Amino acid sequence: MSLIEIAGLHKSFGSTEVLRGIDLAVASGEVVAIIGRSGSGKSTLLRCINGLESVDAGDITVAGEALGTGEARLRALRLKVGMIFQQFNLFPHKTAGQNVMLARQVVRGSPRAEAEALARRMLDRVGLGAKFDAYPAQLSGGQQQRVAIARALAMEPLALLCDEVTSALDPELVGEVLGVVRELAAEGMTLIMVTHEMAFAREVCDRVVFMHEGRVHEIGPPAEIFAEPRTPELRAFVARGH
Amino acid sequence: MTQFTFVDILTNLLWASRWTVLLSLAAFAGGGLLALGLLFAAIGRARWPGRLARLYVEIFQGTPLLMQLFLAFFGLGLLGIDVSPWLAACAALILWSAAFLVEIWRGCVMAIGRGQWEASAALGMGYAAQMRHVVLPQALRLAVPPTVGFSVQVVKGTALTSIIGFLELTKAGTVLSNASFQPFTVFGLVALIYFALCFPLSVGARRLERKLNVAH
């Protein structure tokens, strides 16, 4: 059975229809890359999956439970699906360690000592065990993004959504973040990532989704998608060397 | 006829300025508390409390403080409630400063970026937890300099209460000037005392601003 199932998903902003009927199923442990031109609805799709955007029509099911509209149901959903943002969005008034601990304490009700031990383990996992007491402003972009990954992992989600997680980084910092994502993939974490890193998508992902004008235009294993694009749109996209 | 020496004038003014200080403190503390209540109505999700808070702000920012003082003093008097100038001054200044503080603070809450809301929501936090742990601590930091800056306005605002007969610094100045026939000396000193009260506040606001900016 699929971990995440999306059926007939529609979403408009005003009169602009951004998602025009998306069907997608992601199995547990699968790593899926979503590619496409800007404005094709990639990020919106991702944001719908954890309820940051409301859905106009269609169903999203995570681990057998349908996405509801009430705040309690949304919160339950978000505990299953973590999210990492392009702009990191760390809490600037808290240290790296506190960033990772906060939701654990506030949402899961973990005692302080337990949350701290977990936060140290998670920061170790992304190679930042030594930065527990550093504030976000004292960290590089790559380090901040790794803290954001640790923060999401601390909630022990079933899947992680990555929204262009390297797009705001200087080129020399991209590698360290992708390294962490690669490790997560190897450990069997379910990942859905919107990305512009085509080489990475080709190497790490099980399936690639090409979105075009609010629809899933092509879908398949990276070898097929990149080597034998079937539609002219994907051919053009791949040829431009994204 | 009594002769007023410079020292007489100065000591009398300084003695009266304690009421200016007390009134400022009361207005600022009371206004702050009221503003805090209004703030939660203004930024909360419930529609009606938000509207009422906005109406409150519109009314008290949209009418002169002097009118508010008159209404508090004479208006309540007309209703048969006997109010002392001190009580009327306090009430009007508290209501007035709350209207400005709540707008300052609301602006600080609004200044916290959408990303902070989304990141905390994505971690499963509810509205109350987001406010308490993520948004308000950051907004508080932003709010300190403009809040201290506004306290200068409160100190100067107390001067208007002289008109309803509250014997603070400005009223004492008027009385002394009438009795001593030295208006320039008297009001020069009054101005200097106001400046001595306000200057440290504005310097403090600037310092805090710099300090909090660096820490950010």
Side-chain angles (χ1 to χ4, degrees):
Chain A
M1 200 196 83
S2 304
L3 179 65
I4 298 174
E5 270 182 77
I6 301 164
L9 183 62
H10 285 263
K11 169 74 187 173
S12 301
F13 292 113
S15 59
T16 316
E17 200 175 17
V18 182
L19 299 179
R20 308 172 180 217
I22 302 275
D23 299 292
L24 181 67
V26 178
S28 185
E30 200 177 11
V31 179
V32 174
I34 304 176
I35 62 173
R37 292 215 307 263
S38 55
S40 59
K42 299 169 298 196
S43 285
T44 307
L45 171 59
L46 213 58
R47 292 164 59 83
C48 283
I49 297 177
N50 81 339
L52 284 179
E53 302 289 354
S54 62
V55 167
D56 294 336
D59 297 305
I60 299 177
T61 313
V62 178
E65 255 186 87
L67 168 66
T69 43
E71 176 161 324
R73 303 218 29 202
L74 269 183
R75 287 175 59 188
L77 168 82
R78 285 167 179 158
L79 290 181
K80 294 180 197 159
V81 185
M83 181 141 184
I84 305 158
F85 301 84
Q86 184 176 349
Q87 298 295 340
F88 333 132
N89 295 341
L90 292 183
F91 308 133
H93 60 301
K94 294 190 173 290
T95 63
Q98 289 166 342
N99 263 277
V100 182
M101 289 165 67
L102 180 64
R104 198 66 218 185
Q105 289 175 283
V106 173
V107 180
R108 292 250 198 234
S110 305
R112 204 195 141 74
E114 194 188 308
E116 187 177 327
L118 180 78
R120 287 193 188 281
R121 273 207 310 282
M122 292 305 151
L123 283 175
D124 272 336
R125 196 165 160 191
V126 298
L128 291 173
K131 298 289 186 186
F132 190 91
D133 292 316
Y135 281 91
Q138 299 166 317
L139 300 173
S140 74
Q143 290 171 330
Q144 289 189 51
Q145 192 60 295
R146 281 147 70 198
V147 173
I149 295 173
R151 181 173 70 173
L153 288 177
M155 299 305 283
E156 296 169 329
L158 299 175
L160 268 188
L161 310 175
C162 304
D163 190 4
E164 302 195 24
V165 292
T166 56
S167 296
L169 295 176
D170 290 335
E172 75 269 22
L173 301 176
V174 168
E176 63 186 73
V177 172
L178 291 184
V180 171
V181 177
R182 186 181 289 121
E183 270 171 41
L184 290 178
E187 287 163 19
M189 172 63 84
T190 310
L191 291 170
I192 304 180
M193 45 193 310
V194 169
T195 186
H196 293 291
E197 301 286 337
M198 293 305 144
F200 183 77
R202 188 189 297 238
E203 172 205 345
V204 174
C205 295
D206 302 308
R207 272 194 303 162
V208 176
V209 174
F210 173 64
M211 283 188 65
H212 184 69
E213 292 181 344
R215 291 195 179 86
V216 174
H217 208 67
E218 274 194 50
I219 185 165
E224 266 175 41
I225 289 285
F226 291 114
E228 308 153 28
R230 290 191 301 270
T231 58
E233 290 81 11
L234 178 55
R235 216 169 293 141
F237 182 79
V238 170
R240 266 209 312 273
H242 280 275
Chain B
M1 199 184 112
T2 354
Q3 278 298 314
F4 282 89
T5 65
F6 182 79
V7 176
D8 285 336
I9 294 173
L10 185 62
T11 43
N12 273 300
L13 286 178
L14 285 174
W15 194 234
S17 58
R18 77 187 193 282
W19 288 110
T20 294
V21 172
L22 276 176
L23 185 57
S24 302
L25 288 174
F28 194 69
L33 279 178
L34 180 56
L36 203 61
L38 286 166
L39 177 68
F40 284 107
I43 62 179
R45 284 175 174 178
R47 183 172 283 178
W48 276 105
R51 282 187 182 162
L52 288 177
R54 213 158 26 247
L55 183 68
Y56 177 92
V57 169
E58 292 298 336
I59 288 174
F60 282 91
Q61 288 199 356
T63 54
L65 175 56
L66 190 57
M67 295 306 125
Q68 295 164 22
L69 279 164
F70 281 163
L71 286 176
F73 188 57
F74 300 117
L76 290 177
L78 279 179
L79 292 176
I81 306 165
D82 195 23
V83 272
S84 66
W86 160 253
L87 202 64
C90 256
L93 276 168
I94 284 175
L95 295 174
W96 173 80
S97 37
F100 283 88
L101 283 172
V102 71
E103 273 302 276
I104 293 174
W105 295 347
R106 198 179 63 87
C108 295
V109 171
M110 295 300 149
I112 305 304
R114 208 177 56 150
Q116 294 289 307
W117 286 98
E118 291 187 345
S120 45
L123 288 165
M125 285 189 216
Y127 180 74
Q130 288 178 300
M131 270 292 167
R132 181 169 157 214
H133 297 285
V134 178
V135 177
L136 287 183
Q138 295 181 63
L140 188 68
R141 226 181 197 179
L142 294 176
V144 171
T147 303
V148 177
F150 177 70
S151 64
V152 172
Q153 302 299 320
V154 175
V155 173
K156 292 191 293 184
T158 61
L160 282 178
T161 63
S162 62
I163 294 177
I164 57 168
F166 182 60
L167 195 69
E168 40 64 76
L169 183 52
T170 302
K171 180 72 179 172
T174 315
V175 173
L176 280 167
S177 145
N178 288 340
S180 68
F181 302 109
Q182 299 177 46
F184 185 77
T185 316
V186 172
F187 285 112
L189 284 172
V190 167
L192 273 177
I193 294 173
Y194 274 117
F195 185 75
L197 290 174
C198 293
F199 185 61
L201 291 173
S202 51
V203 170
R206 222 171 309 139
R207 283 232 182 107
L208 279 170
E209 192 158 13
R210 223 171 305 145
K211 205 167 144 193
L212 293 173
N213 267 339
V214 170
H216 216 64

